[in-house]
Amino acid sequence: MTPQERMAELTHILDEANYNYYVLDEPTITDQEFDKYLRELEKLEEEYPEYASKNSPTKRVGGMVIDKFEKIEHKIPMLSLPDVFDESEIEAFDERIRKAGFHPEYVCELKIDGLSVSLHYENGELLTGATRGNGTIGEDITHNVQTIKTVPMRLKEPISIEVRGEIYMSKETLAKLNLEREKLDMPLLQNCRNAAAGSIRQLDSSVAAKRNLDTWIYHLPNPEDYGIKTQFESLEYMKSLGFKTNPNNRLVKDLKGILDFIHEYQEKRVSLPYDIDGVVIKVNDLEMQKRLGFTSKYPRWAVAYKFPAEEVLTKLTDIIFTVGRTGRITPNAVLEPVIVMGSTVKRATLHNEDYIVEKGLKIGDTVSIRKAGDVIPEVVEPKLERRTGNEKDFQMITNCPICGTTLEKKKGQVDHFCPNAHCPARHIEGLIHFVSRHAMDIDGFGEKIMEDFFNLGFIKSIPDIYHLDHHREDLIELEGYGNKSVDNLLDAIEESKKNSMEKLLFGLGIEGIGDKTALLLSRNYKTIENLSTKTKEELLELRDIGPTLAENIVSYFQDVDNQELIHTLSEIGLNMKFLGEELKSSDSISGKRFVVTGTISFMGRDEIERIIESYGGQASGSVSSKTDVVIVGEKAGSKETKARELGIPIWDENTLYNVFKELGEI
Ligand code: IVH
């Protein structure tokens, strides 16, 4: 087989595997096999770039960066639909069509809350993906569309075609993304639609690739070119070409069928894994559609029924204040528990003083609550007609609720701050550090969550983290958490008990002990107990431990409170032993100092550094005359230049691959 033939074969295998996994949800090969084929293809593409396809499965992982979004004209405008808000309007829609002399059947489809996309294929190959834009001119988002696993790169038939549908982000992906963002102290994304739109508007496709976007395809602008007679057939046809069409689409005979569908999905809405904001009703027969035609703005043959935004009333029983890590004060509404969109809401953020004053909220008010984007609960407004006269005016606090220090508000800012750097509220920094990735790595434990739990009094010290299960019911009722996310968090906490010693040691936050020193100490002393008995002199025998660090370690373990803490953690069941592998040995790695720079395609930097360290090599961040090897990936910058200037040996991706392969690490 020639390389070109093998590349075509690999492309076919990977396309099929991708389709079976993502579109049909029926995996046919293992992840390892998939990776193996993908790597083989990548390697061949490197060797024979002239045969590499523009739509290669290797493009799925992203990496393409564009300067700006080019414009794409929609030859057939991308129209939106007239919204209808109640059943009588649907009745009127049906009646209007019947009055025109038709006896329509309808296709009911879920109205997916994402952003619409137009996909063009030429001879079966993906040519472009574009946003709707103003309906006539959209933006070219091909580089990002290629990373969406359910968008076929090649169709099952080599035809030229345009299809349209919705790009969306699942609720689960949004939740995960928000947890990540929380950890990084970034503002949360309000809903799936904004998150999907934000991901698609990235110039660098590796961002979109990580966002796990998905599609439902629902519209064929040129059905007559393919001999298609009805909307339902066009859905089937697009499905047969390899597109992901929604399995809930339903052909109904009459108005009753439409209303049944709407009622059914109004109920099922909360349990769907993606957001919908209504139901789209389309005349099935395409000839009938053609004769009904368009108004200046909309088709006459379809409407979008929008679900009413669920607003419920409850009582604002109190406003309490929480203190953030930076000392920022946030007022929170304490609400009489109420169910909104399937989950109980007990609290909602009120952001700051101005927000409360603008809404004119009083304690004791009946307020309406809405879930903004179905995720974060929001107090909409007080119901003035329900006031009894017993409501209490809101008064902004003047002192920190934790330490009592007078609050400050800078000119032009809306937030109040506690200026006390020693405010116990800031203890939570230590707690945040304990759960962070390089320490105990408790998945799902972001800063915001820690702040919440701290302020609610659930967690005041490290051991409290391991008693969080006592508050399971309270947690489930908190805003933004559900049964599943709470259980996942509790599982992750439980799982962290098994961590190897170095993670705990780093998590304890002993001054000057970073994750690398924690690993060195753990490898050498094997148990916390053993480490705790070491003298300064003994510690100094270790390479990389200087007098200050040795002093810090000794005095940490001499402190009675710290001894108590470690004893308690051990009682709780935290592992106190080093579980990591013994140092392996390799002439190419052991004892050498490495710097990894740029992107290595087959492995993340953390993993590379972990392997280097497992052979007793050192990974450091900056190149100096002490560096032994610089590993250079794609888009390496100044570090590579410096390494060359200093004449330091350089390993490119292939060399690294070969070394790791030889060592059996790949
Ligand atoms: S049909 C001419 N079907 O809702 C037909 N639209 O205002 C145009 N949408 O812009 C669209 N799910 O972004 C159609 N099953 C569905 C849909 C859907 C979501 C969006 C689409 C469109 C808007 C309608």
Side-chain angles (χ1 to χ4, degrees):
M1 197 181 286
T2 65
Q4 193 177 9
E5 282 165 350
R6 178 63 180 159
M7 285 165 84
E9 184 178 61
L10 286 167
T11 301
H12 180 72
I13 296 173
L14 289 163
D15 275 355
E16 276 298 298
N18 186 73
Y19 175 74
N20 293 333
Y21 186 88
Y22 289 102
V23 181
L24 301 184
D25 200 11
E26 288 166 5
T28 44
I29 63 174
T30 64
D31 289 357
Q32 286 77 6
E33 283 172 307
F34 189 91
D35 284 348
K36 194 184 80 191
Y37 291 131
L38 191 66
R39 227 169 276 144
E40 187 184 342
L41 181 58
E42 273 169 356
K43 219 161 157 232
L44 284 167
E45 285 180 353
E46 234 167 69
E47 236 173 290
Y48 305 97
E50 65 275 26
Y51 301 140
S53 140
K54 172 178 156 298
N55 284 317
S56 164
T58 57
K59 293 279 175 11
R60 295 275 191 209
V61 293
M64 182 163 163
V65 183
I66 59 168
D67 296 337
K68 63 177 177 54
F69 293 100
E70 299 293 341
K71 302 284 174 224
I72 285 195
E73 190 189 340
H74 303 300
K75 297 257 158 45
I76 304 173
M78 284 182 84
L79 297 179
S80 62
L81 301 175
D83 289 333
V84 296
F85 296 94
D86 60 45
E87 296 183 1
S88 67
E89 289 179 272
I90 301 177
E91 225 170 291
F93 164 69
D94 176 56
E95 208 172 280
R96 201 162 30 79
I97 294 169
R98 286 180 191 281
K99 277 213 174 117
F102 297 112
H103 301 284
E105 286 187 326
Y106 298 103
V107 178
C108 293
E109 298 174 15
L110 300 179
K111 187 168 183 312
I112 315 296
D113 207 4
L115 64 141
S116 41
V117 65
S118 149
L119 304 172
H120 276 271
Y121 289 78
E122 204 172 60
N123 302 322
E125 292 267 340
L126 177 67
L127 186 67
T128 53
T131 61
R132 175 169 180 272
N134 63 10
T136 314
I137 309 237
E139 284 181 327
D140 187 340
I141 49 165
T142 314
H143 67 304
N144 285 332
V145 162
Q146 284 180 321
T147 69
I148 304 177
K149 312 287 196 304
T150 54
V151 171
M153 294 280 211
R154 261 159 300 279
L155 302 179
K156 304 226 180 257
E157 286 172 49
I159 54 166
S160 298
I161 194 168
E162 179 192 1
V163 299
R164 294 176 184 175
E166 205 83 352
I167 293 177
Y168 72 95
M169 182 182 280
S170 74
K171 293 178 186 172
E172 193 186 347
T173 302
L174 176 68
K176 279 192 188 146
L177 187 61
N178 271 342
L179 281 175
E180 291 267 303
R181 293 173 72 92
E182 225 172 83
K183 280 187 197 165
L184 301 171
D185 213 11
M186 289 164 79
L188 299 191
L189 298 165
Q190 285 284 320
N191 55 47
C192 295
R193 187 188 52 250
N194 289 356
S199 309
I200 271 302
R201 279 211 53 88
Q202 298 286 334
L203 295 169
D204 178 350
S205 68
S206 44
V207 179
K210 286 194 203 97
R211 296 289 174 86
N212 211 1
L213 296 171
D214 209 330
T215 50
W216 294 120
I217 300 300
Y218 49 67
H219 187 65
L220 183 60
N222 266 320
E224 57 285 355
D225 292 358
Y226 311 94
I228 304 284
K229 299 264 186 308
T230 67
Q231 166 65 10
F232 206 72
E233 269 177 44
S234 65
L235 291 169
E236 298 275 285
Y237 180 58
M238 292 188 289
K239 184 176 171 190
S240 76
L241 292 174
F243 294 104
K244 193 168 157 214
T245 56
N246 195 296
N248 303 307
N249 296 332
R250 184 181 300 165
L251 184 61
V252 302
K253 296 225 161 329
D254 50 18
L255 182 65
K256 179 173 179 306
I258 298 176
L259 299 180
D260 287 348
F261 186 86
I262 288 178
H263 297 151
E264 187 178 327
Y265 281 95
Q266 204 141 354
E267 287 286 303
K268 288 185 179 163
R269 177 184 186 190
V270 285
S271 54
L272 286 172
Y274 45 88
D275 268 348
I276 58 172
D277 60 343
V279 165
V280 176
I281 303 133
K282 302 173 181 173
V283 165
N284 188 35
D285 188 287
L286 298 179
E287 182 57 33
M288 215 180 277
Q289 282 191 5
K290 212 167 175 184
R291 287 170 49 201
L292 284 161
F294 296 84
T295 67
S296 60
K297 249 173 105 178
Y298 299 124
R300 286 203 181 86
W301 41 264
V303 286
Y305 170 78
K306 297 280 276 269
F307 291 136
E310 197 186 356
E311 271 192 32
V312 296
L313 298 184
T314 188
K315 201 161 173 177
L316 174 65
T317 56
D318 201 359
I319 294 178
I320 59 167
F321 298 87
T322 49
V323 189
R325 198 162 53 90
T326 52
R328 184 163 39 135
I329 308 292
T330 307
N332 297 276
V334 179
L335 304 163
E336 242 165 45
V338 63
I339 295 179
V340 194
M341 299 275 315
S343 63
T344 308
V345 175
K346 243 179 166 177
R347 287 214 308 165
T349 175
L350 294 171
H351 306 286
N352 52 55
E353 180 185 16
D354 292 359
Y355 185 89
I356 302 172
V357 172
E358 265 162 38
K359 291 199 183 276
L361 293 173
K362 293 187 181 206
I363 294 166
D365 264 338
T366 298
V367 291
S368 57
I369 305 294
R370 178 172 65 195
K371 277 208 172 172
D374 299 351
V375 191
I376 299 169
E378 172 190 17
V379 174
V380 184
E381 57 182 13
K383 294 288 166 195
L384 300 180
E385 66 281 9
R386 299 240 187 161
R387 285 215 169 133
T388 61
N390 292 332
E391 295 76 16
K392 272 200 316 194
D393 281 341
F394 162 71
Q395 192 75 50
M396 185 62 197
I397 50 168
T398 52
N399 294 74
C400 173
I402 305 286
C403 69
T405 307
T406 307
L407 300 181
E408 286 178 0
K409 186 179 172 187
K410 295 215 176 78
K411 232 180 137 206
Q413 282 193 352
V414 288
D415 293 313
H416 287 75
F417 283 89
C418 165
N420 175 10
H422 300 292
C423 175
R426 301 192 184 189
H427 282 170
I428 68 168
E429 282 218 53
L431 294 165
I432 290 168
H433 170 76
F434 185 82
V435 298
S436 68
R437 192 157 72 91
H438 289 293
M440 294 300 269
D441 193 18
I442 302 182
D443 208 16
F445 225 137
E447 291 192 13
K448 170 81 176 44
I449 296 183
M450 188 61 90
E451 275 177 15
D452 277 357
F453 293 178
F454 185 84
N455 287 312
L456 287 163
F458 294 167
I459 296 181
K460 295 198 200 74
S461 63
I462 294 174
D464 293 341
I465 295 171
Y466 292 93
H467 296 134
L468 205 55
D469 51 339
H470 300 169
H471 299 287
R472 184 174 177 278
E473 297 306 317
D474 297 310
L475 299 182
I476 288 172
E477 286 176 7
L478 284 178
E479 62 172 85
Y481 308 100
N483 249 320
K484 201 163 163 222
S485 60
V486 169
D487 284 340
N488 285 345
L489 179 63
L490 295 177
D491 286 348
I493 292 173
E494 189 58 31
E495 196 56 25
S496 75
K497 290 183 182 172
K498 298 184 199 147
N499 281 344
S500 182
M501 168 182 165
E502 69 278 13
K503 296 193 85 69
L504 174 62
L505 184 58
F506 177 54
L508 291 174
I510 304 171
E511 209 184 327
I513 299 200
D515 54 347
K516 298 217 164 84
T517 318
L519 183 61
L520 177 82
L521 291 166
S522 305
R523 218 172 229 141
N524 276 281
Y525 297 120
K526 304 286 188 277
T527 67
I528 297 265
E529 200 194 345
N530 188 26
L531 170 65
S532 71
T533 60
K534 295 293 159 214
T535 61
K536 194 174 162 190
E537 289 65 39
E538 285 172 308
L539 291 166
L540 280 171
E541 283 168 18
L542 285 186
R543 192 170 58 92
D544 290 338
I545 303 282
T548 320
L549 255 187
E551 185 76 53
N552 288 351
I553 297 167
V554 172
S555 66
Y556 180 89
F557 287 109
Q558 274 170 357
D559 183 303
V560 185
D561 287 344
N562 294 334
Q563 288 171 5
E564 174 74 28
L565 170 67
I566 286 164
H567 177 71
T568 311
L569 292 178
S570 169
E571 295 267 285
I572 289 171
L574 268 75
N575 167 57
M576 303 266 153
K577 296 193 181 109
F578 177 61
L579 306 173
E581 294 157 30
E582 291 307 310
L583 279 188
K584 294 176 270 190
S585 151
S586 144
D587 287 348
S588 344
I589 300 180
S590 308
K592 293 189 178 165
R593 284 176 199 256
F594 288 79
V595 173
V596 187
T597 176
T599 312
I600 303 288
S601 67
F602 63 87
M603 200 178 265
R605 186 178 309 180
D606 275 1
E607 179 68 1
I608 295 172
E609 294 186 346
R610 193 194 60 73
I611 295 178
I612 289 175
E613 282 162 6
S614 74
Y615 282 87
Q618 259 192 62
S620 88
S622 55
V623 179
S624 75
S625 56
K626 290 194 187 134
T627 311
D628 293 301
V629 178
V630 177
I631 298 172
V632 170
E634 208 178 317
K635 294 206 210 97
S638 58
K639 290 183 194 171
E640 178 178 1
T641 321
K642 188 159 180 198
R644 291 194 191 280
E645 277 166 17
L646 295 174
I648 296 168
I650 288 184
W651 290 1
D652 63 8
E653 187 164 317
N654 272 337
T655 315
L656 180 69
Y657 188 84
N658 291 334
V659 172
F660 277 8
K661 181 120 199 159
E662 187 106 315
L663 294 170
E665 296 294 337
I666 293 182

